[in-house]
């Protein structure tokens, strides 16, 4: 009897009409934040792969020099996230932090390629990493803030990570 009912259940579930998949609806803020997430991922890739070639060819950096600058950039990002970002978010808000971070990382990275004098070049690279830390962190924070449920929060953060992964491929 149990084999018959189990097989009937399996057949019934197989023949049952399928729910059509629909794209998740995103709020306006979420649609705006995903390109920001993509930009952060793209600039991370540029900041590692392309910058290494640039620094070697145009600045005469050795591997040790590039490694030291990358380590200093990572330290600047961590210090920014721990010490600066909480205070900055309280004073100007998360949206302005995200805007400021995007502007800082974009302008600093662009100008960094034009100015080759030290220590100004290294300062601009560190400023780019500070802007990246602010923009990337506040993007995730805003995606969580504008999510209406734990399911949408998980989906939105996954979309942001997927955008960053796609940017690394491009």
């Amino acid at each position: 009897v149990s084999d018959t009912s189990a097989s009937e259940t399996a057949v019934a579930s197989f023949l049952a009409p399928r729910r059509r998949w629909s794209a998740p609806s995103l709020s306006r803020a979420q649609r705006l934040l995903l390109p920001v997430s993509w930009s952060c991922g793209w600039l991370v890739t540029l900041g590692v792969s392309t910058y290494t070639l640039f620094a070697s060819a145009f600045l005469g950096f050795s591997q040790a020099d590039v490694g030291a600058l990358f380590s200093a950039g990572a330290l600047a990002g961590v210090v920014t996230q721990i010490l600066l970002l909480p205070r900055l978010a309280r004073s100007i808000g998360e949206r302005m932090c995200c805007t400021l971070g995007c502007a800082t990382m974009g302008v600093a990275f662009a100008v960094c390629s034009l100015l080759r004098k030290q220590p100004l070049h290294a300062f601009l690279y560190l400023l780019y990493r500070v802007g990246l830390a602010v923009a990337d962190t506040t993007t995730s924070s805003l995606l969580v803030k504008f999510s209406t449920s734990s399911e949408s929060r998980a989906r939105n953060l996954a979309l942001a990570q997927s955008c960053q992964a796609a940017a690394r491929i491009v």
Side-chain angles (χ1 to χ4, degrees):
V1 174
S2 65
D3 288 337
T4 305
S5 64
S7 63
E8 287 174 357
T9 304
V11 169
S13 68
F14 179 75
L15 295 175
R18 302 275 182 219
R19 279 189 358 186
R20 292 193 61 138
W21 182 83
S22 62
S25 66
L26 299 172
S27 70
R28 179 174 176 256
Q30 292 160 333
R31 284 192 303 269
L32 292 173
L33 288 169
L34 291 177
V36 171
S37 187
W38 186 88
S39 299
C40 290
W42 187 61
L43 276 175
V44 165
T45 302
L46 282 178
V48 174
S49 62
T50 308
Y51 183 81
T52 302
L53 299 173
F54 170 82
S56 297
F58 294 106
L59 299 173
F61 279 14
S62 66
Q63 280 185 324
D65 296 333
V66 172
L69 189 58
F70 283 176
S71 296
L75 181 63
V78 168
V79 168
T80 298
Q81 289 175 333
I82 292 172
L83 299 178
L84 177 68
L85 189 56
R87 293 178 182 150
L88 193 61
R90 276 193 304 272
S91 65
I92 65 172
E94 291 172 325
R95 291 178 186 172
M96 284 304 295
C97 278
C98 189
T99 304
L100 182 65
C102 288
T104 302
M105 75 175 176
V107 170
F109 197 69
V111 175
C112 188
S113 66
L114 301 173
L115 295 175
R116 299 178 184 167
K117 281 187 153 184
Q118 294 296 357
L120 185 57
H121 178 85
F123 172 76
L124 287 169
Y125 182 82
L126 295 176
L127 191 60
Y128 143 72
R129 293 298 298 258
V130 166
L132 179 64
V134 170
D136 194 32
T137 304
T138 53
T139 299
S140 297
S141 175
L142 287 168
L143 279 169
V144 167
K145 185 177 185 176
F146 289 113
S147 299
T148 56
S149 66
S150 61
E151 182 181 294
S152 69
R153 182 173 34 256
R155 183 191 68 234
N156 292 334
L157 290 174
L159 279 171
Q161 290 299 311
S162 296
C163 284
Q164 287 187 355
R168 288 185 201 106
I169 294 170
V170 174

